Amino acid sequence: MIKKLMQIGLTKNEATVYIELLQLGVTTVGGLEKNMSLYRQSLYNILNDLEAKGLIEITKRNNKKHFRALDANLLLEEHKKKEKKIQHLIPDLYALSGS
C-alpha cells in the first residue's frame, strides 16, 4: 500500500503516517509516536505536509492538536488538481521550446 501511495506523489513517510491515521482514527502526535519509529518533530512536519495536501484534518481539543485522515477519495481529488495544473502548464512549455 505504501508503494502505491508513493506512486501518486506521497513520500514514504507521508504514506506511512496517512495509513496509520486511517487505522487509528483521531489521535495526537503522541499516539502516532507510540506506533511509529519517527521523531516527534518529523511527525509534525509530515502532518503539516499532509494537511497542506488536503489529506488530513487538524483540530485542537483541550490545547492539544488532534489529527484525522480525511476520506480516501481526496487522494483522487488531489491527483485531479495536479493534472489540471500540468494541463495549464503545457502550452507555456510548448511556447518555450518553439513547438
Side-chain angles (χ1 to χ4, degrees):
M1 180 62 71
I2 290 172
K3 287 184 181 182
K4 290 179 182 179
L5 288 170
M6 289 172 64
Q7 289 172 348
I8 62 165
L10 296 182
T11 66
K12 182 178 180 180
N13 286 338
E14 287 172 344
T16 304
V17 171
Y18 183 70
I19 289 168
E20 189 70 23
L21 282 173
L22 284 171
Q23 294 171 340
L24 291 174
V26 178
T27 190
T28 61
V29 168
L32 283 169
E33 204 173 22
K34 289 176 188 173
N35 297 320
M36 308 187 81
S37 59
L38 293 169
Y39 293 108
R40 182 174 286 263
Q41 188 55 50
S42 295
L43 279 170
Y44 275 115
N45 292 336
I46 293 163
L47 290 163
N48 287 331
D49 291 343
L50 288 171
E51 182 189 34
K53 291 179 179 184
L55 299 176
I56 69 165
E57 175 182 66
I58 301 174
T59 56
K60 229 178 186 182
R61 287 190 228 155
N62 301 325
N63 288 329
K64 271 191 160 184
K65 286 185 177 182
H66 288 75
F67 306 90
R68 178 178 71 93
L70 296 175
D71 188 317
N73 280 320
L74 291 173
L75 289 169
L76 181 58
E77 292 302 316
E78 183 65 24
H79 181 72
K80 287 179 183 177
K81 285 180 191 175
K82 285 181 184 178
E83 186 177 328
K84 244 183 180 174
K85 288 178 184 178
I86 292 169
Q87 286 175 345
H88 284 84
L89 181 62
I90 288 174
D92 293 334
L93 295 172
Y94 276 130
L96 288 173
S97 67
S99 300

